[in-house]
Amino acid sequence: MEVLMAIISGILFMAATYLILSRSLIRIIIGTGLLSHGAHLLILTMGGLKKGTVPLLGENAASYTDPLPQALILTAIVISFGVTALFLVLAYRAYQELGTDDMDKLRGTEDHE
Amino acid sequence: MSWLHLAILSPFILAVFIPLFYKNFRRIHTGWFVFPLPAVLFGYFLHFIPMNQNGDVYTKTLKWIPSLHINFTAHIDGLSLLFALLISGIGALVILYSIFYLSKAKEALHSFYVYLLLFMGAMLGVVLSDNLIVLYSFWELTSLSSFLLIGFWYERKKSTSGAQKSLVITVFGGLSMLAGISLLYIITGTSSIQEMSSQIEVITSHELFIPALILFLLGAFTKSAQFPFHIWLPDAMEAPTPVSAYLHSATMVKAGIYLLARMSPIFSDNAVWFITVGIVGSITLFWGSFSAIKQKDLKGILAFSTISQLGLIMSLIGVGSAALHYDYLDDNFYVIALTAAVFHLINHATFKGSLFMIVGIIDHETGTRDIRKLGGLMSIMPISFTIALIGGLSMAGIPPFNGFLSKEMFFTAMTNVMEMDIYHLETWGVLFPIIAWIGSIFTFLYSIILVFKTFTGAYQPEKLAKKPHEAPIGMLISPIILASLVIVFGFFPNILAYTIIEPAMSAIAPQLVQGGERFYINIQFWHGLNLEIAMTLGVILIGILLFVTLKKWTKIYDLLPEKFTLNNLYNGLLKGIEQGSKSITSFFMTGFIRDYLVYIFSFFIVLVLGTMWAKNAFQFNFSNVAPIGVYEAILALVTVAATITTLLSKSRLTAIISLGVVGYTVALFFVLFRAPDLALTQLVIETISVALFLLCFYYLPQLKRNKKLTFRLTNFLISLGVGVVVTLVALSANSNRLFTSISEYFLKESYREAGGKNVVNVILVDFRGFDTLFEITVLGIAAFGIFALIKLQLERRNENEKQ
């Protein structure tokens, strides 16, 4: 199972990198979204995918899944959501002000070099 | 704080008050406030002479950074005293001269004297410091104050470029020296010269000895304008003439010589030292005197003459180190080279100082320094002519002046080289006297040109900017004193020999005088016919012959085209470095964000794969993995399909929706992997995110909506690399679990300690509540940021107000 999840994470990272390298601002943000999905799945996988009950103590099971990676992912999800939301609004404002979402055109002027 | 420390620091203290004197006493020339200090210092240093003659040294320590063994230790021995006397004595004369040279009304005198005092203090610090770090600090301060003084007339382009050049070259040397100091510190564990001298055996047998030696030599050669680093000195002639007289003839350029002499006990018993110092000195001697002849500017001639004479002293120090190979003092006639070096050092300071001052006077009274415009000034400026004649003939090595004596000793020392039986000198050693002799012919020639082209020949009043007349007496006092010293030292050289030269030599070559011995120098044997006299006669005869036929052979200077000069090389080097770095920067700093991301990802791939390969981390162990269930397999397929759709979609809408699909399958994965809180959060957040994406999408431009993503092979390869690296790292890490998780504790204690059964939530708000606190902060900041981005549109508001 871990091998499969590692490969899926790899594919997510690959797609994310490819999108981040593109010219369009919105594709770059989509890429960051895929990247955070990949990272979250990777954290979960690295915590071990051994079967166990959900980490709710009322279940009275013999074994539970590892709660720590879940807590870490929960934090990460919220943070990446905040960042993505900010990026999206930034992209929206950038397009509104500059009239383009092409990264090759968003280079600054020669004076700024 | 001893009197000696106060003496070193006094110029700095006075420098603080100079602007006050300048502003409050406008009617008195500021130089008069400065003049007493070097005069008093000179008197103070004189009183060390009796102590010095007995071979005693005087050391005082002031703690600076004791934890690093860096203390301001002032140390006076023969060598330091010689230089301290030169600095304070000529300093006093130069300040006296500058009072009459610099106009009270036109010049920024406060800046001038502040820089000059900084320089004087720094120079005293260099020669009186025993600690190499302190010495280095003062050393760089001399470079800096020299830079300020050369660029004194900062509105002139030549001044600033000359100042820049001298700073670049001398600081290059200074930093090399710092490296050398560090190496010596590594070897010996101390930065005190005296303590190093007691560990000579340790130093010479250490593998870092030769690098340290070469780095020190670089420092000395750049400061003392040795070939090929001499190019800054002629350009430094843009400084006011008192500065040229003080810094660039008598003191700063001799700091390199001081350094060599000071480090001589440690380094000199070595072939590299002998060969490098001897040969570089000889080349400089020849090249400086040869180049001096083509100069048209009087100060240019003097600059190259200084270079040449410094080369002479340098070569004598190099050759003098041979004396150490013959471990006896009596009958060690190789010692003569060191004597000649010290003696000529003093002589050069006297005659070169006076010549610079005379050139300054000529410039001041005629308005030009161009030798082609000058001539026939003998009857108009008789006193200046006399002084110039004395200085010039002394420089040329004509009896009865002091230059003659040191030149004879120089010839003796150089002819001695042929009799040495070390370093195969019996074969190539003959080059030393030959170069010395040819260099002396050119020296004679430019000295004659300097004096006679200026003061004799046709008087050309129409070419001069001013009507020339004799200088005011105040301006003449200093050169008269120096010229008198030239004569006094010429007739009575032994005043110096017993008081100054002998102790200085004991400091340069202490190995020779162990066990209470002392040098016994007697500069009287210059009567008598010998080889040196014959060489001098040859110099005079050939020199006069060349002077008479000057016009016929000076064409050889045109043979060397401008392209191959060292100045051109230096300028090309600077330009090349500047353009090279600019083109390198503009090559990789393209301004395209994609390029930077490509660098970052490529380095990530190369570094991680390289490390894994180097550490042999490709060891996979699948014994510990969980089995793959049906649902997981289906979800995996969906995820991959959605990802690829996102990647290849032609429209953005498809990409956003398939991103949402990926998000929901991730949420389903969370369900399958027993993470209910994650699944809930993921579902909600993915919904909001997709909504946000769609919102943006709605506002995005129409024109490129369906543009196909341009396929780039590099992008594909790099992203493939990133994916593979992540998978490999994950597999490798998963195969090497080193210890069990700490989650057992959370599961066990969650209810007992925290009173909660949802372990994930207990971790979030109880065990690791701080993470959550700042995660909330992040969300808050993001919310404020979004609000500000949308609400605060300053530019537009300004535009509206304008309308």
Side-chain angles (χ1 to χ4, degrees), chain B residues 333-492:
Chain B
F333 62 96
Y334 303 106
V335 170
I336 190 84
L338 290 178
T339 320
V342 179
F343 190 39
H344 195 73
L345 184 82
I346 304 168
N347 294 342
H348 177 251
T350 55
F351 66 67
K352 191 53 65 67
S354 68
L355 283 174
F356 263 111
M357 290 177 186
I358 291 303
V359 166
I361 287 172
I362 292 169
D363 188 15
H364 208 268
E365 304 305 333
T366 65
T368 182
R369 294 197 311 254
D370 192 326
I371 202 160
R372 287 163 298 191
K373 296 182 185 167
L374 294 165
L377 295 175
M378 187 162 69
S379 55
I380 302 166
M381 305 170 77
I383 305 174
S384 306
F385 170 64
T386 315
I387 298 166
L389 192 67
I390 293 169
L393 291 183
S394 178
M395 185 158 76
I398 309 292
F401 306 110
N402 59 6
F404 169 70
L405 298 176
S406 45
K407 184 140 293 181
E408 292 294 280
M409 290 161 78
F410 168 59
F411 283 154
T412 314
M414 288 299 164
T415 44
N416 280 347
V417 172
M418 289 188 291
E419 292 169 40
M420 291 177 187
D421 50 7
I422 46 171
Y423 314 137
H424 305 291
L425 280 172
E426 62 277 5
T427 49
W428 60 282
V430 71
L431 286 173
F432 279 100
I434 290 175
I435 294 174
W437 191 64
I438 297 173
S440 297
I441 292 172
F442 284 116
T443 307
F444 180 86
L445 190 57
Y446 70 67
S447 308
I448 298 295
I449 291 174
L450 183 75
V451 177
F452 289 99
K453 288 267 179 189
T454 314
F455 287 100
T456 61
Y459 175 50
Q460 305 156 300
E462 71 282 355
K463 287 188 184 171
L464 301 178
K466 298 178 185 173
K467 188 168 163 43
H469 54 81
E470 185 58 276
I473 187 68
M475 220 180 209
L476 286 166
I477 294 174
S478 299
I480 286 173
I481 292 173
L482 286 172
S484 333
L485 285 178
V486 169
I487 298 174
V488 170
F489 293 157
F491 282 106
F492 309 104

Side-chain angles (χ1 to χ4, degrees), chain B residues 95-231:
Chain B
I95 286 169
L96 187 65
Y97 175 77
S98 72
I99 291 173
F100 295 94
Y101 185 85
L102 290 173
S103 154
K104 195 164 59 182
K106 290 179 202 154
E107 306 287 1
L109 288 176
H110 53 312
S111 310
F112 181 79
Y113 287 109
V114 166
Y115 301 159
L116 203 68
L117 280 169
L118 283 184
F119 172 77
M120 190 185 286
M123 204 59 211
L124 284 175
V126 166
V127 300
L128 293 172
S129 295
D130 177 52
N131 192 296
L132 278 174
I133 301 290
V134 179
L135 190 148
Y136 170 75
S137 314
F138 283 120
W139 180 279
E140 290 298 30
L141 199 54
T142 62
S143 299
L144 195 66
S145 49
S146 160
F147 167 78
L148 291 170
L149 283 166
I150 297 170
F152 179 65
W153 288 312
Y154 52 83
E155 68 278 10
R156 299 184 192 171
K157 199 171 175 300
K158 274 180 142 182
S159 290
T160 50
S161 66
Q164 186 205 33
K165 193 178 192 177
S166 77
L167 192 72
V168 168
I169 294 178
T170 53
V171 167
F172 162 73
L175 289 175
S176 310
M177 195 179 109
L178 182 62
I181 292 170
S182 312
L183 291 185
L184 279 188
Y185 186 84
I186 291 169
I187 298 171
T188 60
T190 174
S191 51
S192 157
I193 301 172
Q194 298 306 313
E195 286 171 31
M196 281 177 187
S197 303
S198 60
Q199 303 188 42
I200 292 176
E201 298 294 318
V202 181
I203 298 171
T204 46
S205 57
H206 200 278
E207 56 182 354
L208 292 175
F209 171 69
I210 295 294
L213 193 160
I214 289 169
L215 288 167
F216 264 99
L217 286 183
L218 267 181
F221 287 165
T222 49
K223 197 76 162 180
S224 282
Q226 298 295 297
F227 190 89
F229 305 111
H230 65 273
I231 49 173

Side-chain angles (χ1 to χ4, degrees), chain B residues 384-668:
Chain B
S384 306
F385 170 64
T386 315
I387 298 166
L389 192 67
I390 293 169
L393 291 183
S394 178
M395 185 158 76
I398 309 292
F401 306 110
N402 59 6
F404 169 70
L405 298 176
S406 45
K407 184 140 293 181
E408 292 294 280
M409 290 161 78
F410 168 59
F411 283 154
T412 314
M414 288 299 164
T415 44
N416 280 347
V417 172
M418 289 188 291
E419 292 169 40
M420 291 177 187
D421 50 7
I422 46 171
Y423 314 137
H424 305 291
L425 280 172
E426 62 277 5
T427 49
W428 60 282
V430 71
L431 286 173
F432 279 100
I434 290 175
I435 294 174
W437 191 64
I438 297 173
S440 297
I441 292 172
F442 284 116
T443 307
F444 180 86
L445 190 57
Y446 70 67
S447 308
I448 298 295
I449 291 174
L450 183 75
V451 177
F452 289 99
K453 288 267 179 189
T454 314
F455 287 100
T456 61
Y459 175 50
Q460 305 156 300
E462 71 282 355
K463 287 188 184 171
L464 301 178
K466 298 178 185 173
K467 188 168 163 43
H469 54 81
E470 185 58 276
I473 187 68
M475 220 180 209
L476 286 166
I477 294 174
S478 299
I480 286 173
I481 292 173
L482 286 172
S484 333
L485 285 178
V486 169
I487 298 174
V488 170
F489 293 157
F491 282 106
F492 309 104
N494 290 318
I495 318 173
L496 287 175
Y498 305 139
T499 53
I500 307 269
I501 299 179
E502 285 176 11
M505 285 175 65
S506 320
I508 298 174
Q511 294 100 319
L512 288 174
V513 285
Q514 276 154 2
E517 281 181 296
R518 56 178 289 183
F519 282 100
Y520 182 69
I521 315 270
N522 196 346
I523 315 176
Q524 279 178 339
F525 46 84
W526 51 280
H527 311 287
L529 288 170
N530 49 19
L531 180 61
E532 293 84 32
I533 290 282
M535 283 168 87
T536 303
L537 282 175
V539 166
I540 296 173
L541 283 178
I542 298 177
I544 291 175
L545 197 68
L546 285 176
F547 180 64
V548 174
T549 57
L550 198 57
K551 285 207 175 108
K552 289 178 187 151
W553 60 271
T554 39
K555 288 191 186 71
I556 61 158
Y557 286 106
D558 304 330
L559 291 180
L560 184 70
E562 189 68 22
K563 247 189 246 174
F564 298 111
T565 57
L566 282 167
N567 267 323
N568 202 53
L569 182 74
Y570 169 84
N571 292 334
L573 206 65
L574 275 196
K575 216 172 167 183
I577 290 171
E578 207 176 302
Q579 284 177 348
S581 43
K582 200 177 169 190
S583 61
I584 288 173
T585 309
S586 55
F587 171 71
F588 73 88
M589 299 294 285
T590 53
F592 292 109
I593 201 154
R594 177 184 167 270
D595 291 346
Y596 305 146
L597 288 168
V598 167
Y599 307 149
I600 293 170
F601 286 127
S602 313
F603 270 96
F604 168 74
I605 294 167
V606 169
L607 278 183
V608 174
L609 280 185
T611 313
M612 285 180 76
W613 185 74
K615 298 282 173 192
N616 202 17
F618 295 109
Q619 291 171 342
F620 303 119
N621 168 20
F622 301 124
S623 62
N624 208 22
V625 297
I628 303 175
V630 183
Y631 296 121
E632 287 96 331
I634 293 168
L635 272 185
L637 279 178
V638 174
T639 314
V640 173
T643 309
I644 290 171
T645 317
T646 318
L647 201 60
L648 299 180
S649 65
K650 289 178 182 173
S651 87
R652 284 178 196 166
L653 196 58
T654 321
I656 291 169
I657 291 172
S658 46
L659 176 67
V661 172
V662 174
Y664 287 125
T665 49
V666 168
L668 289 178

